[in-house]
């Protein structure tokens, strides 16, 4: 009997063909297995019916850990005329054939324990940084095209030595058809340079002196380390000077926290709390940066994550990290991306040396190309009803290029979504799946825009897409992503659709929750900025809708933010506008002077002019719609500056992020309940009176109530009121599924309080969550994909 089996899913780059090969030998079958050009696998076998059925059973039930079947098609009527005389089972040469739906390669994988052990004793691989096997090593960052074979990766430049070739061709070896395998004799090499360009360690003398980079780090040097998907800047964590130097060089980064890399859970527990579940996430194949709560006595430099209660931690995931930590004396190393702020992470040796010469003392560089740069992913665990709930902050290495399934049952259009301006991610919708690019960053530079273009081009090439039927982008006319989408649509004469920002959040939440396409949900979309259909800036929205459309059924009260974008970086402007709504300028000044933590505002050079300008604008109603916002993020900004937590914003979300940490200092104390009123406005939407909240906090603060307690009370009040209004609307409209999206989700208090109220509301309401898609703007392009497809349908 003959049988052909076509499998789509995650079946290339995980040792799947060696698995099939050994399985066929076990069942005494002859035939072949090969990789296809769509990242799928084709198997042809010959044997008895019992042998083939047993083989198929094992194929389905004993597959490799990372294997995932999305389409498994055995064809027993198939007979390959050209191969009727099978005499053995073999791994055949790959085919360029593709199916309609396509498969996908796995993401870059961390070095496995077996390879780490070999780095300790095997002479050919002792401390060899590029040690890998079928179960580990880079994938997405090194693949140039499909099917996944060594000649279609950057490893093509490194021919296998005789001993590696023997491993590669031996079925019983775990490096059987491991495409990135190599050793000291045939693989890539590291070189160490000083910042003057002098070669300190050549490839020939690197072996045997692998401890030198660690010793230099221990001696307070700053080193640029080229890794799997880009370059890290590394330094000690126990002293301030190198961290301050890096922070000053990064410029626009301000107080934005740095991530640190620690060897293991034991090392982490010297400076942060790390539970078993957190250790599992840190040790997973994603190897993310995970936000952990700092120890009360925090021994690391305060400049790593200034004024925050948590710190981003990741475990080693490349061979070079394993080698470094053999000799590192600090409990962790700073590992921040090797690039100036708002620029792509550096991947070419010449660019690394020219761009980082002012900041690093040494460069640790290898000679393997990085075909696709890719940043570390970032996660945070929230707790809801004492159960951990993971949220993705940045979806990149470890996730990309794995797809996200859409709820469509039938075939739909192939589309490209350009996403938002910040936390940019591009996305391609093909069939019933979305393939999102790696994290791009802020599209404020030409370099990041080019990065978005090249990432989409590469993803499109891997998927074998030759025809796109629609483009989509944000409603904001000035976003670079919007302009790029329009440019491509005009060039190729393809429709371009624009979607309101928070509608895309609703859509992404519905995808993540696997909601039926026609089912309506309620989404509290809470963030900093989104271009509204009425010309104002939205960001505190309760939307009702599905993939076909939405209705704005609730929102936060509109606040003035004089100066527009300037007020976002200077949140005291919005505070002054609020105070001037019920005080004279003289009363505002007197009130501010009575609060020592706010005196700095009156000391600003432009204070008098600013006060007068804002008063005139308010009196004459001279504020344009772009200076009015319903943003939840801006409410948190005002509270943050009012309570003396922050002054100016030096990185995105800083006032709100620091407010959360400030509030959690009193999490175990009795917190007063604050009621925020709400009412239906003349447009039929429920408006939540956030000005009343700000007024209440101002009054309590002036009366001497502890400011940490007020910070926590205000966050709880926002969460509970938004949840209460959402439940009211759900009951009114007969909707059961309720959830939250947007950057405010990353606030532990607001997120947990909101969902706690939804969960306890009764069985008529079902909470829905983000799980595999970021809550912030990294979800926008993913959410846009089904909206484009719905338009085309």
């Amino acid at each position: 009997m003959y049988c052909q089996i076509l499998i789509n899913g995650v079946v290339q780059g995980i040792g799947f063909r060696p698995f099939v090969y050994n399985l066929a030998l076990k069942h005494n079958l002859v035939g072949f297995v090969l990789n296809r050009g769509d990242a799928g696998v084709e198997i042809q076998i010959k044997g008895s019916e019992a042998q083939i059925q047993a083989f198929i059973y094992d194929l389905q039930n004993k597959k490799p850990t990372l294997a995932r079947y999305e389409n498994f098609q055995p064809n027993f009527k198939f007979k390959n005329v050209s191969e009727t005389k099978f005499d053995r089972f073999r791994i055949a040469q790959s085919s360029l054939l593709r199916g309609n739906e396509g498969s996908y390669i796995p993401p870059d994988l961390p070095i496995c324990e077996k390879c780490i052990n070999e780095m300790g004793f095997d002479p050919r691989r002792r401390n060899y940084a590029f040690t890998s096997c079928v179960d580990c090593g880079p994938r997405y960052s090194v693949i140039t095209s499909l099917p996944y074979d060594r000649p279609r990766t950057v490893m093509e430049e490194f021919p296998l030595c005789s001993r590696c070739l023997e491993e590669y061709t031996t079925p019983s070896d775990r490096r059987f058809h491991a495409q990135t395998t190599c050793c000291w004799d045939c693989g890539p090499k590291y070189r160490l340079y000083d910042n003057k360009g002098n070669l300190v360690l050549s490839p020939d003398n690197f072996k045997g002196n692998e401890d030198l980079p660690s010793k230099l780090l221990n001696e307070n040097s700053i080193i640029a380390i080229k890794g799997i998907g880009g370059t890290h800047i590394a330094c000690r964590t126990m002293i301030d000077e190198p961290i301050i130097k890096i922070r000053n060089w990064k410029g626009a980064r301000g107080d934005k926290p740095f991530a640190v890399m620690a060897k293991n859970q034991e090392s982490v527990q010297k400076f942060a709390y790390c539970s078993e579940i957190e250790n599992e996430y840190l040790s997973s194949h994603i190897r993310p940066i995970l936000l952990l709560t700092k120890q009360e006595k925090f021994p690391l430099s305060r400049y790593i994550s200034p004024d925050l209660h948590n710190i981003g931690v990741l475990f080693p995931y490349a061979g070079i990290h394993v080698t470094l930590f053999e000799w590192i004396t600090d409990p962790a190393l700073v590992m921040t991306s090797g690039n100036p702020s708002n620029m792509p992470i550096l991947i070419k040796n010449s660019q690394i040396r020219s761009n980082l010469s002012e900041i690093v003392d040494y460069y640790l560089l290898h000679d393997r190309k990085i075909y696709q740069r890719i940043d570390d992913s970032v996660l945070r665990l929230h707790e809801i009803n004492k159960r951990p709930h993971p949220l993705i902050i940045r979806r990149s290495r470890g996730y990309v290029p794995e797809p996200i399934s859409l709820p469509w049952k039938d075939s739909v259009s192939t589309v490209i979504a350009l996403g938002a301006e910040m936390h940019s991610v591009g996305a391609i919708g093909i069939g019933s799946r979305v393939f999102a690019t790696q994290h791009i960053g802020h599209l404020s530079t030409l370099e990041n825009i080019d990065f978005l273009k090249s990432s989409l081009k590469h993803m499109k090439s891997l998927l074998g897409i030759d025809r796109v039927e629609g483009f989509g982008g944000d409603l904001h006319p000035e976003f670079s992503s919007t302009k790029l989408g329009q440019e491509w649509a005009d060039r190729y004469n393809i429709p371009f659709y624009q979607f309101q920002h928070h509608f895309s959040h609703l859509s992404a939440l519905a995808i993540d929750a696997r909601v039926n396409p026609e089912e309506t949900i309620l989404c509290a979309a809470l963030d900093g900025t989104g271009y509204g259909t009425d010309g104002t800036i939205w960001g505190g929205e309760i939307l009702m809708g599905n993939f076909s459309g939405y209705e704005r059924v609730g929102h936060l009260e509109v606040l003035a933010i004089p100066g527009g974008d300037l007020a976002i970086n200077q949140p005291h402007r919005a505070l002054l506008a609020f105070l001037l709504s019920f005080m004279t300028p003289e009363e505002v000044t007197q009130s501010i002077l009575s609060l020592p933590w706010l005196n700095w505002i009156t000391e600003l050079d432009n204070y008098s002019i600013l006060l007068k300008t804002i008063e005139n604008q308010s009196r004459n109603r001279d504020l344009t719609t772009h200076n009015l916002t319903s943003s939840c993020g801006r409410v948190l900004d005002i509270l943050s500056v009012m309570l003396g937590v922050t002054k100016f914003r030096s990185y995105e979300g800083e006032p709100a992020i620091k407010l959360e940490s400030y509030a959690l200092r009193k999490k175990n104390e009795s917190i007063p309940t604050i009621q925020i009123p709400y009412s239906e406005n003349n447009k039929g939407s429920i408006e939540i009176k956030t000005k009343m909240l700000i007024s209440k906090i101002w009054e309590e603060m002036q009366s001497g109530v502890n400011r940490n307690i007020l910070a926590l009370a205000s966050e709880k009040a926002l969460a509970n009121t938004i949840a209460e209004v959402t439940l009211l609307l759900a009951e009114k409209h007969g909707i059961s599924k309720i959830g939250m999206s947007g950057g405010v989700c990353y606030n532990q208090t607001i997120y947990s309080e909101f969902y706690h109220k939804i969960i306890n509301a009764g069985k008529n309401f079902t909470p829905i969550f983000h799980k595999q898609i970021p809550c912030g703007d990294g979800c926008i392009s993913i959410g846009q994909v089904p909206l484009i497809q719905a338009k085309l349908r």
Side-chain angles (χ1 to χ4, degrees):
M1 174 181 283
Y2 291 94
C3 182
Q4 179 199 46
I5 305 171
L6 297 178
I7 307 175
N8 290 105
V10 183
V11 286
Q12 288 191 23
I14 56 169
F16 190 77
R17 288 178 299 172
F19 160 72
V20 173
Y21 178 93
N22 287 302
L23 201 61
L25 295 188
K26 171 187 171 184
H27 292 285
N28 297 312
L29 295 168
V30 294
F32 66 83
V33 58
L34 58 79
N35 279 345
R36 290 164 54 95
D38 59 2
V41 162
E42 179 179 354
I43 304 168
Q44 291 187 25
I45 47 175
K46 179 183 176 183
S48 70
E49 182 177 358
Q51 288 173 318
I52 291 176
Q53 291 292 359
F55 171 81
I56 290 175
Y57 177 86
D58 284 353
L59 199 60
Q60 291 179 314
N61 294 282
K62 298 179 181 180
K63 60 182 181 290
T65 304
L66 292 175
R68 188 186 309 160
Y69 302 161
E70 295 194 355
N71 194 6
F72 189 97
Q73 294 181 338
N75 180 2
F76 290 95
K77 295 181 180 180
F78 174 84
K79 184 172 181 179
N80 189 328
V81 178
S82 65
E83 291 285 358
T84 52
K85 295 183 179 179
F86 291 138
D87 58 355
R88 61 189 175 89
F89 196 88
R90 62 191 174 88
I91 295 178
Q93 183 177 352
S94 297
S95 165
L96 296 178
L97 290 174
R98 292 176 177 268
N100 293 327
E101 190 85 350
S103 287
Y104 48 97
I105 55 171
D108 295 315
L109 301 173
I111 185 169
C112 68
E113 285 301 318
K114 289 181 181 178
C115 284
I116 290 174
N117 290 336
E118 275 184 327
M119 288 178 66
F121 69 84
D122 185 348
R124 288 174 51 232
R125 294 190 171 92
R126 177 163 176 76
N127 290 325
Y128 181 57
F130 300 91
T131 300
S132 68
C133 67
V134 292
D135 296 323
C136 68
R139 299 293 191 269
Y140 182 66
S141 61
V142 298
I143 290 174
T144 57
S145 63
L146 290 176
Y148 177 55
D149 291 304
R150 194 178 181 95
R152 295 181 180 88
T153 73
V154 298
M155 293 302 292
E156 180 187 21
E157 299 178 10
F158 303 96
L160 294 169
C161 66
S162 59
R163 295 183 69 181
C164 283
L165 183 60
E166 182 181 356
E167 294 170 336
Y168 184 85
T169 54
T170 301
S172 60
D173 197 287
R174 78 173 200 282
R175 292 191 169 90
F176 183 43
H177 278 261
Q179 306 305 334
T180 58
T181 188
C182 53
C183 70
W184 276 112
D185 296 330
C186 61
K189 306 287 195 303
Y190 268 100
R191 294 166 173 81
L192 182 68
Y193 300 88
D194 65 22
N195 63 1
K196 301 291 191 298
N198 300 311
L199 186 62
V200 178
L201 282 179
S202 68
D204 292 333
N205 61 19
F206 199 96
K207 187 177 182 181
N209 293 287
E210 304 94 336
D211 61 338
L212 182 57
S214 301
K215 290 178 179 178
L216 293 170
L217 285 164
N218 291 337
E219 294 167 2
N220 305 337
S221 294
I222 300 173
I223 302 183
I225 303 171
K226 183 181 177 185
I228 289 178
T231 305
H232 283 120
I233 297 176
C235 72
R236 289 187 60 195
T237 53
M238 298 289 285
I239 59 171
D240 297 338
E241 288 75 16
I243 299 168
I244 293 171
K245 184 179 178 182
I246 296 170
R247 193 169 287 289
N248 290 338
W249 176 80
K250 285 262 187 176
R253 188 181 185 92
D255 274 356
K256 189 174 181 180
F258 290 136
V260 303
M261 180 179 284
K263 185 176 183 178
N264 50 32
Q265 184 182 22
E266 182 182 356
S267 297
V268 173
Q269 288 174 333
K270 294 175 182 177
F271 60 88
Y273 296 101
C274 184
S275 66
E276 288 306 314
I277 186 70
E278 288 167 329
N279 185 54
E280 286 179 21
Y281 276 96
L282 285 166
S283 306
S284 71
H285 77 273
I286 298 164
R287 289 293 161 91
I289 297 170
L290 182 66
L291 299 191
L292 300 176
T293 302
K294 293 176 180 176
Q295 295 275 6
E296 278 77 7
K297 293 182 178 179
F298 184 67
L300 308 187
S301 170
R302 65 187 182 90
Y303 293 100
I304 293 173
S305 55
D307 302 320
L308 300 182
H309 72 288
N310 52 20
I311 182 171
V313 180
L314 75 163
F315 281 173
Y317 57 86
I320 191 63
H321 303 148
V322 174
T323 301
L324 281 172
F325 276 95
E326 277 198 47
W327 297 281
I328 291 298
T329 55
D330 282 9
L333 290 174
V334 167
M335 281 282 183
T336 187
S337 57
N339 56 284
S341 293
N342 298 324
M343 297 286 280
I345 191 168
L346 298 170
I347 57 174
K348 294 183 178 179
N349 290 356
S350 59
Q351 293 175 338
I352 296 166
R353 291 170 63 177
S354 61
N355 281 275
L356 303 183
S357 60
E358 294 180 7
I359 181 62
V360 305
D361 301 301
Y362 296 92
Y363 309 94
L364 188 54
L365 307 177
H366 62 70
D367 53 1
R368 184 174 70 189
K369 290 180 183 175
I370 297 173
Y371 196 75
Q372 277 292 301
R373 57 169 57 88
I374 187 162
D375 267 304
D376 300 318
S377 294
V378 184
L379 273 68
R380 182 171 186 183
L381 292 184
H382 280 342
E383 191 175 275
I384 303 175
N385 287 357
K386 296 184 179 181
R387 296 181 64 182
H389 190 87
L391 292 181
I392 300 173
I393 298 174
R394 186 165 75 198
R395 186 181 185 273
S396 209
R397 181 189 49 75
Y399 289 103
V400 176
E402 289 190 340
I404 296 156
S405 296
L406 292 171
W408 314 122
K409 293 181 180 179
D410 53 344
S411 181
V412 292
S413 307
T414 298
V415 302
I416 292 179
L418 282 306
E421 190 79 352
M422 295 185 290
H423 305 285
S424 171
V425 169
I428 297 176
I430 176 172
S432 59
R433 295 181 293 185
V434 179
F435 291 84
T437 70
Q438 63 270 52
H439 168 76
I440 304 296
H442 197 320
L443 298 182
S444 58
T445 61
L446 290 174
E447 289 82 359
N448 270 351
I449 295 171
D450 287 341
F451 180 20
L452 174 62
K453 292 178 182 178
S454 66
S455 298
L456 282 168
K457 181 180 178 182
H458 183 59
M459 188 74 77
K460 186 167 170 279
S461 172
L462 290 180
L463 295 171
I465 295 171
D466 53 15
R467 182 170 177 266
V468 175
E469 296 166 76
F471 293 105
D474 196 88
L475 188 63
H476 200 299
E478 296 303 316
F479 276 5
S480 299
S481 54
T482 305
K483 294 177 180 178
L484 178 60
Q486 188 63 65
E487 175 192 326
W488 283 355
D490 292 343
R491 182 186 304 170
Y492 300 110
N493 194 28
I494 291 172
F496 175 64
Y497 302 99
Q498 291 177 259
F499 303 99
Q500 202 283 322
H501 186 86
H502 302 98
F503 181 26
S504 300
H505 272 295
L506 178 149
S507 174
L509 178 64
I511 295 169
D512 232 347
R514 303 292 297 157
V515 173
N516 184 291
E518 290 76 35
E519 186 174 1
T520 298
I521 67 169
L522 274 166
C523 172
L526 312 175
D527 59 8
T529 300
Y531 194 82
T533 55
D534 58 0
T536 64
I537 303 301
W538 291 6
E541 314 308 311
I542 302 173
L543 303 184
M544 179 177 69
N546 53 34
F547 299 121
S548 299
Y550 75 96
E551 183 181 348
R552 189 191 192 198
V553 290
H555 59 85
L556 301 187
E557 186 177 12
V558 170
L559 297 170
I561 49 168
D565 289 344
L566 190 61
I568 296 173
N569 293 322
Q570 301 176 10
H572 62 276
R573 287 172 168 263
L575 172 60
L576 290 174
F578 166 73
L579 295 175
L580 284 166
S581 67
F582 63 92
M583 292 188 205
T584 66
E586 293 76 17
E587 290 171 332
V588 169
T589 302
Q590 186 177 357
S591 291
I592 289 175
L593 288 172
S594 70
L595 304 169
W597 57 90
L598 292 180
N599 285 182
W600 64 271
I601 298 176
T602 64
E603 296 165 4
L604 294 169
D605 291 339
N606 67 339
Y607 173 71
S608 297
I609 297 172
L610 182 61
L611 201 63
K612 188 172 183 178
T613 301
I614 295 173
E615 182 199 19
N616 289 337
Q617 287 177 335
S618 300
R619 183 186 300 153
N620 300 324
R621 301 183 181 277
D622 195 27
L623 285 168
T624 65
T625 54
H626 296 304
N627 291 328
L628 297 173
T629 183
S630 57
S631 164
C632 187
R634 298 293 82 80
V635 173
L636 296 172
D637 288 353
I638 291 172
L639 292 168
S640 184
V641 72
M642 178 195 295
L643 292 166
V645 181
T646 51
K647 293 182 180 179
F648 301 98
R649 188 187 83 154
S650 66
Y651 62 90
E652 190 210 345
E654 178 184 9
I657 291 169
K658 288 186 174 178
L659 180 71
E660 178 194 8
S661 292
Y662 186 78
L664 288 175
R665 295 176 191 174
K666 297 293 183 180
K667 65 180 180 180
N668 296 322
E669 297 195 17
S670 176
I671 305 299
T673 300
I674 299 175
Q675 300 291 337
I676 308 176
Y678 50 85
S679 62
E680 189 171 302
N681 61 22
N682 56 11
K683 295 181 181 178
S685 294
I686 294 181
E687 186 176 270
I688 298 170
K689 309 297 184 181
T690 43
K691 288 179 182 177
M692 298 294 290
L693 169 66
I694 300 169
S695 295
K696 179 67 174 177
I697 298 298
W698 181 262
E699 292 170 8
E700 295 291 324
M701 186 178 68
Q702 286 194 312
S703 67
V705 177
N706 181 277
R707 285 179 281 145
N708 301 92
I709 288 176
L710 290 176
L712 189 54
S714 63
E715 290 176 341
K716 289 191 172 191
L718 274 170
N720 281 299
T721 306
I722 292 168
E724 184 178 320
V725 170
T726 307
L727 286 166
L728 185 69
L729 289 163
E731 191 167 6
K732 176 182 176 181
H733 295 282
I735 296 170
S736 64
K737 291 185 170 63
I738 301 169
M740 183 194 292
S741 186
V744 174
C745 288
Y746 300 127
N747 182 296
Q748 165 72 64
T749 301
I750 294 176
Y751 187 85
S752 58
E753 289 286 327
F754 174 89
Y755 276 108
H756 180 77
K757 198 170 186 73
I758 302 302
I759 291 168
N760 291 335
K763 61 182 181 180
N764 292 332
F765 305 106
T766 304
I768 56 176
F769 308 92
H770 277 292
K771 297 175 183 176
Q772 57 177 337
I773 303 174
C775 304
D777 282 4
C779 80
I780 295 299
S781 62
I782 299 169
Q784 288 170 350
V785 165
L787 304 184
I788 306 167
Q789 292 175 331
K791 287 283 188 183
L792 291 168
R793 286 158 77 96

